[in-house]
């Protein structure tokens, strides 16, 4: 099948996820700068969650701009990926309320890690569903971005476990920066 309707569905789900994340930010206790400043952890986690969602949308949108055909494997693996990503509003609140907890941070990192692992499978499914699409085959030839993400998150887990748990959520942000830099690094 062609991918336009599927792309629109993913866009709508991501818009809902981002909306829910923003609605989960508590309002300040009063109208002062101090009350707003007390919510700094909520805003930091929201910012990272927004970047995670935007990165997913950006990668998905750029990739599907060259996709001609998809099959049930692409649909179901992407559906599983977006399901896991849909847990982000809950995990954003969980981390914001337990910012220095290794468990909260590790669950957030696991969500990010699972989405990337599933995307590796989705990439292979896309190549198989659209074998005649040379641009797609070249774009998905290597999975450097996903491998770099996985390695970065594992490093974040090690640092988070032994030293500073927020290193895990920071590693998600670093992984995204690496993903955005990969086209320049691999040239």
């Amino acid at each position: 099948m062609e991918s336009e309707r599927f792309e629109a569905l993913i866009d709508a789900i991501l818009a809902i996820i981002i909306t829910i994340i923003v609605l989960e930010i508590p309002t300040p206790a009063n109208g002062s700068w101090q009350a707003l400043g007390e919510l700094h952890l909520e805003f930091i986690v929201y910012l990272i969650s927004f970047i995670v969602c935007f990165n997913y949308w950006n990668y998905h949108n750029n990739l599907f701009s060259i996709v001609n055909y998809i099959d049930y494997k692409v649909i179901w693996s992407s559906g599983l990926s977006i399901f896991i990503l849909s847990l982000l509003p809950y995990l954003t609140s969980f981390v914001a309320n337990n910012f220095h907890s290794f468990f909260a941070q590790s669950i957030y990192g696991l969500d990010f890690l699972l989405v990337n692992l599933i995307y590796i499978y989705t990439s292979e499914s896309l190549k198989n569903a659209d074998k005649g699409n040379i641009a797609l085959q070249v774009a998905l030839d290597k999975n450097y971005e996903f491998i770099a993400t996985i390695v970065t998150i594992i490093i974040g887990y090690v640092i988070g476990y032994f030293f500073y748990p927020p290193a895990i959520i920071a590693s998600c942000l670093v992984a995204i920066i690496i993903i955005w830099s990969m086209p320049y690094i691999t040239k």
Side-chain angles (χ1 to χ4, degrees):
M1 80 171 52
E2 294 182 10
S3 65
E4 290 84 16
R5 291 187 69 205
F6 181 68
E7 292 174 66
L9 174 67
I10 299 296
D11 289 350
I13 292 170
L14 286 172
I16 292 167
I17 291 170
I18 290 172
T19 301
I20 293 170
I21 291 171
V22 114
L23 292 174
E24 289 292 318
I25 298 174
T27 55
N30 58 46
S32 70
W33 282 106
Q34 181 183 2
L36 191 60
E38 290 172 1
L39 299 175
H40 69 283
L41 293 179
E42 286 84 351
F43 284 112
I44 290 169
V45 178
Y46 164 74
L47 176 66
I48 293 171
S49 293
F50 178 86
I51 292 170
V52 167
C53 286
F54 180 77
N55 182 64
Y56 185 92
W57 176 84
N58 184 45
Y59 185 81
H60 194 270
N61 187 51
N62 288 332
L63 178 62
F64 275 77
S65 69
I66 59 173
V67 170
N68 295 322
Y69 301 105
I70 58 175
D71 64 7
Y72 72 94
K73 289 181 182 178
V74 173
I75 291 171
W76 282 103
S77 62
S78 292
L80 179 59
S81 178
I82 202 79
F83 167 74
I84 292 170
L85 194 65
S86 74
L87 297 172
L88 212 53
Y90 173 76
L91 296 175
T92 300
S93 293
F94 188 46
V95 169
N97 294 328
N98 304 287
F99 194 75
H100 296 284
S101 163
F102 176 77
F103 181 72
Q105 293 282 343
S106 65
I107 296 298
Y108 189 98
L110 181 64
D111 186 87
F112 189 76
L113 191 62
L114 287 174
V115 166
N116 282 280
L117 287 171
I118 293 167
Y119 229 90
I120 292 172
Y121 177 78
T122 304
S123 296
E124 293 303 313
S125 298
L126 276 169
K127 289 193 309 190
N128 291 331
D130 201 0
K131 290 182 180 180
N133 188 338
I134 302 301
L136 180 66
Q137 300 297 326
V138 170
L140 297 176
D141 185 37
K142 296 178 176 65
N143 289 318
Y144 292 140
E145 297 93 355
F146 302 114
I147 294 166
T149 296
I150 292 165
V151 169
T152 304
I153 298 299
I154 290 170
I155 292 169
Y157 267 92
V158 170
I159 294 169
Y161 182 76
F162 289 108
F163 303 108
Y164 186 62
I168 297 170
I169 197 169
S171 69
C172 296
L173 188 59
V174 170
I176 291 170
I177 292 168
I178 290 171
I179 289 170
W180 289 347
S181 308
M182 285 303 276
Y184 305 108
I185 295 170
T186 58
K187 282 187 179 181

